[in-house]
Amino acid sequence: GAVVSQHPSWVICKSGTSVKIECRSLDFQATTMFWYRQFPKQSLMLMATSNEGSKATYEQGVEKDKFLINHASLTLSTLTVTSAHPEDSSFYICSATRAGTEAFFGQGTRLTVV
Amino acid sequence: GENVEQHPSTLSVQEGDSAVIKCTYSDSASNYFPWYKQELGKRPQLIIDIRSNVGEKKDQRIAVTLNKTAKHFSLHITETQPEDSAVYFCAASKGNTDKLIFGTGTRLQVFP
């Protein structure tokens, strides 16, 4: 099956700093990728839809200036959490779809802001 | 926008019994309904999915039913095993390449 790889798997950063998370589709081209956030014991909440070559579409309530998404190529989307605060600590997961198949998820990134 | 509700939030069954998890969705334009199993700290794993042109789909011990009129779909696991213990999420989208809206999750515990 298709492979989506996320990096890093976990990261600890200081409050006020920025963190970049990468999502790569390793064996297929993804014109669209999705970013989700999952707090402990909660569901996956869609943050934004990442479109290759254009601006991301953010869900209501998600701050676009805080969560910067760049989809510069058909195989890479990045999420940058800017000026991170402890409340941004969460499990961030990306997904990508290949035409005609199901969504493939990255392994997730556990962000801890101290 | 789409809203997906899922029940129950927790479910405990004895090994060998059946488990049923139910979801309802709000957007009649949704036509793709996958179910995921997620273990702690891991990515969601697709276990079965169904499209709106089908009423039921089965894969060994797992089945999904869809009632488009009522806008609800259910996951059925028969002959449960301890390794089925995990959190299960339903989801809905307007096509398998569109964004997924997830249900709130069900923590299933299967006791030996």
Side-chain angles (χ1 to χ4, degrees):
Chain A
V3 178
V4 174
S5 178
Q6 215 173 310
H7 178 82
S9 297
W10 60 270
V11 58
I12 302 173
C13 72
K14 291 184 177 181
S15 188
T17 62
S18 295
V19 174
K20 180 184 284 188
I21 303 169
E22 293 186 349
C23 179
R24 294 181 184 273
S25 54
L26 298 186
D27 54 356
F28 68 101
Q29 294 182 330
T31 55
T32 304
M33 292 184 176
F34 303 95
W35 287 95
Y36 297 86
R37 179 169 53 182
Q38 186 176 32
F39 291 109
K41 297 186 178 181
Q42 293 189 25
S43 185
L44 286 82
M45 299 299 296
L46 179 68
M47 298 177 67
T49 301
S50 174
N51 304 297
E52 187 267 335
S54 64
K55 292 183 179 180
T57 303
Y58 289 83
E59 294 298 301
Q60 193 172 9
V62 177
E63 300 175 59
K64 62 180 181 180
D65 295 330
K66 181 172 181 61
F67 299 99
L68 302 180
I69 292 173
N70 184 278
H71 195 151
S73 77
L74 287 170
T75 59
L76 173 65
S77 176
T78 60
L79 168 67
T80 301
V81 183
T82 62
S83 187
H85 291 286
E87 55 264 33
D88 298 324
S89 299
S90 188
F91 193 52
Y92 292 86
I93 310 178
C94 68
S95 76
T97 55
R98 191 171 59 183
T101 68
E102 78 266 24
F104 297 95
F105 287 86
Q107 67 268 43
T109 298
R110 182 158 302 283
L111 170 64
T112 302
V113 184
V114 298
Chain B
E2 176 66 281
N3 181 50
V4 180
E5 296 187 356
Q6 183 172 344
H7 298 282
S9 57
T10 60
L11 180 58
S12 297
V13 299
Q14 204 74 33
E15 181 178 3
D17 288 350
S18 295
V20 180
I21 303 170
K22 299 181 179 182
C23 287
T24 59
Y25 61 99
S26 61
D27 192 342
S28 56
S30 292
N31 58 17
Y32 175 64
F33 308 94
W35 285 90
Y36 292 90
K37 176 183 181 182
Q38 188 182 31
E39 297 178 352
L40 189 63
K42 301 288 182 64
R43 75 186 84 192
Q45 296 284 349
L46 179 71
I47 57 172
I48 196 167
D49 57 11
I50 192 167
R51 301 180 193 280
S52 59
N53 59 346
V54 176
E56 183 174 356
K57 185 177 178 180
K58 189 173 182 180
D59 183 4
Q60 299 183 352
R61 297 187 296 111
I62 296 173
V64 56
T65 58
L66 171 65
N67 183 326
K68 283 172 54 180
T69 303
K71 289 190 278 188
H72 65 70
F73 55 113
S74 301
L75 176 71
H76 304 253
I77 306 174
T78 59
E79 301 172 30
T80 55
Q81 301 166 3
E83 49 266 40
D84 293 330
S85 298
V87 179
Y88 291 80
F89 292 97
C90 63
S93 78
K94 297 176 187 176
N96 65 325
T97 56
D98 198 9
K99 61 185 180 183
L100 289 167
I101 304 301
F102 284 84
T104 47
T106 297
R107 184 171 300 277
L108 174 64
Q109 286 186 299
V110 181
F111 292 98

